[in-house]
Amino acid sequence: MSRTVKGRYLSLAATGAALSLAVTLTGCGSLVGDNEVTLRVVAADYGDNPQNSSAAYWKDLAAGFEKTHPGVKVEVSVYSWSEVDAKVAAMVKEGKAPDIAQIGAYADYAAAGKLHTTDELLSVQTEADFLAPLAEAGKVRRTQYGMPFVASTRLLFYNEKLLADAGVIPKDGRTPWQPKSWADLEAAAKKLKAAGVPTPFALPLGREEAQAETMMWMLSGGGGYTDNEEAYAIDSAENVRTFEFLRDKMVGQGLTGAAEPGKTDRQAAFDAFTRGEVGMLNGHPTLIKQAAEKGVKFGMVPLPTADGTPQPAMGVADWIMAFKNGHRVESGKFLDWVYDSKNVTAFTRKYDLLPPTTSGFRAMEAANGGATAQLKPFLQALPNSRLYPVGKNSWAAVSESVKQNIGRAVQPGAQPAKVLEEIAVRARAEDKR
């Protein structure tokens, strides 16, 4: 999930960011013979402790593949999200790129000509199975290099008890909240404030994941980071109106609590939500478990839009890529194995994430009960979601610029148009490099 749980969903990876674990796995541990090929794979860890490390998943995956593909061995090195991107970058710089890497971004390597395209690797069936918005996000100049590994979307979480006590929803516990517009959101936040809720609506625009919170609001206002031609449109009229609403109606009326949004990180907002101090906030699937463990009863709905007109949710994906190491055929066979429906489903169920494939989507959609049922609202938003412009080499720099500056746009007396224009000018300059 930037740091999908940060621009990754963290990409999606907030769950593994704290783990400093590196594990090397070999499917069966035997020496490689003269006629055998060894695939070196680097993967990110989605676990938050040694007991639920992704290492176990990759070990089983490699062993299963080797049993049906004699002559190919798979060695997987699993690193925490805090170090995996740097590890791969260092390997590439040393001329020792892995055959396959499962990390947060692919565009720089694709632009440098170091990656295979997906149609050079995958079977037609596997390539066609990717959900359309995720496949599109994996493209550079209309050619796909990045293969989505897991995905996530974002929804608005609300504390049922706080909203009921404030009179936003009935206290019968059976009537879900169904806000449609920003006016509904503002009205609910005002009632929460009047009821003494410390933070009616948490607005984390701090460095941890400001680029995600920003994109969610842009989309709900009918805008986004890019236009229909994929050119940066950060300073569009729609985006300016969005941040004027946040400045005037949410922050300006004291509906976002005492903390300054630009200095509030997402995990801090999540923690406050699980303590019962926040009425509403945007969140990803990992908040389900965090809130449940603290006994917080919550609901989840799409983020209301400016005028109630439906808009796409934000999606996030983490990526797999294959480097040009002379093992194209073997890498392709292993990737077909990775994307087998049963393997995709096993991983997404373990870590409460969303499948990147149509077959995985259908399998999750058909499942009933437990954590899968709670994930279905996120799943339903995925096919029409919008992702970060990760196919742009400039995105990393633009994301950093958003993290550093977007909080200024909602300060009392700020000029959102000016702040967005500054970010947009830098983005366009980066895009031309």
Side-chain angles (χ1 to χ4, degrees):
M1 257 161 281
S2 256
R3 247 182 355 147
T4 48
V5 198
K6 277 175 172 152
R8 300 194 284 254
Y9 165 68
L10 287 192
S11 315
L12 293 169
T15 52
L19 189 62
S20 298
L21 174 68
V23 187
T24 300
L25 310 165
T26 304
C28 59
S30 60
L31 294 175
V32 179
D34 293 339
N35 296 321
E36 293 176 329
V37 169
T38 298
L39 290 179
R40 294 181 301 117
V41 180
V42 172
D45 202 323
Y46 289 76
D48 56 8
N49 61 69
Q51 285 68 47
N52 70 354
S53 168
S54 304
Y57 170 82
W58 285 103
K59 181 178 180 180
D60 291 343
L61 193 71
F65 176 79
E66 290 178 356
K67 286 180 181 179
T68 56
H69 295 80
V72 182
K73 302 299 179 184
V74 181
E75 295 180 352
V76 187
S77 299
V78 179
Y79 298 97
S80 73
W81 269 110
S82 63
E83 58 183 343
V84 67
D85 288 332
K87 288 284 187 181
V88 171
M91 294 170 72
V92 172
K93 186 176 182 179
E94 294 170 4
K96 299 177 181 179
D99 294 289
I100 295 170
Q102 184 269 298
I103 51 179
Y106 67 86
D108 286 354
Y109 299 124
K114 297 182 181 297
L115 301 182
H116 286 293
T117 61
T118 55
D119 61 2
E120 292 175 329
L121 297 161
L122 304 175
S123 68
V124 173
Q125 180 180 358
T126 299
E127 189 176 15
D129 199 26
F130 291 127
L131 290 168
L134 303 181
E136 285 298 315
K139 294 179 179 180
V140 174
R141 293 185 293 274
R142 301 184 181 179
T143 299
Q144 188 177 354
Y145 297 89
M147 291 159 276
F149 179 61
V150 287
S152 176
T153 54
R154 304 298 174 87
L155 294 175
L156 177 67
F157 283 68
Y158 63 91
N159 183 310
E160 291 183 349
K161 183 179 185 303
L162 294 181
L163 264 67
D165 290 346
V168 178
I169 58 176
K171 293 188 176 183
D172 58 16
R174 297 188 300 271
T175 306
W177 188 39
Q178 296 180 321
K180 298 298 182 183
S181 69
W182 287 350
D184 296 334
L185 203 65
E186 179 188 354
K190 286 180 176 178
K191 289 184 178 180
L192 288 165
K193 181 182 179 182
V197 175
T199 304
F201 193 104
L203 185 65
L205 293 175
R207 284 190 51 82
E208 183 184 0
E209 206 181 12
Q211 82 286 356
E213 187 75 16
T214 295
M215 184 169 177
M216 283 182 272
W217 281 102
M218 285 179 170
L219 291 175
S220 73
Y225 282 118
T226 57
D227 59 22
N228 292 334
E229 301 300 322
E230 294 304 312
Y232 282 117
I234 296 168
D235 54 350
S236 70
E238 292 84 358
N239 291 340
V240 171
R241 284 195 295 269
T242 294
F243 278 87
E244 287 175 344
F245 167 79
L246 292 174
R247 178 198 62 188
D248 297 337
K249 301 299 185 180
M250 301 304 287
V251 178
Q253 297 188 94
L255 304 181
T256 56
E260 185 177 332
K263 296 180 180 178
T264 302
D265 284 340
R266 180 163 306 284
Q267 190 57 54
F270 280 13
D271 291 343
F273 184 80
T274 65
R275 293 193 301 266
E277 300 169 2
V278 172
M280 302 172 283
L281 81 170
N282 291 312
H284 48 65
T286 59
L287 185 55
I288 293 175
K289 182 178 179 180
Q290 293 176 29
E293 287 178 345
K294 298 289 187 176
V296 176
K297 292 184 178 181
F298 58 89
M300 300 176 295
V301 294
L303 178 64
T305 63
D307 59 2
T309 303
Q311 299 290 348
M314 189 186 82
V316 183
D318 292 331
W319 304 94
I320 289 184
M321 61 217 70
F323 287 86
K324 295 178 178 178
N325 284 352
H327 296 153
R328 179 183 63 82
V329 173
E330 294 83 3
S331 292
K333 289 179 178 179
F334 182 66
L335 288 166
D336 280 337
W337 180 259
V338 169
Y339 285 107
D340 184 275
S341 181
K342 68 177 184 298
N343 294 327
V344 169
T345 301
F347 192 88
T348 55
R349 283 180 176 173
K350 182 176 179 66
Y351 295 106
D352 292 339
L353 295 168
L354 304 182
T357 59
T358 300
S359 59
F361 179 94
R362 289 172 178 166
M364 180 175 280
E365 195 173 39
N368 294 306
T372 299
Q374 289 188 307
L375 287 174
K376 284 188 177 180
F378 293 94
L379 185 71
Q380 291 163 359
L382 184 58
N384 297 314
S385 63
R386 289 275 301 275
L387 282 74
Y388 297 125
V390 291
K392 290 178 172 289
N393 295 342
S394 56
W395 171 242
V398 173
S399 176
E400 182 61 26
S401 179
V402 171
K403 291 179 181 181
Q404 291 178 0
N405 296 292
I406 198 64
R408 295 191 288 113
V410 299
Q411 292 176 343
Q415 299 179 46
K418 183 176 180 180
V419 175
L420 293 174
E421 181 183 16
E422 290 173 359
I423 298 172
V425 168
R426 294 172 188 168
R428 292 172 187 133
E430 288 288 342
D431 209 31
K432 292 179 180 178
R433 290 189 179 185

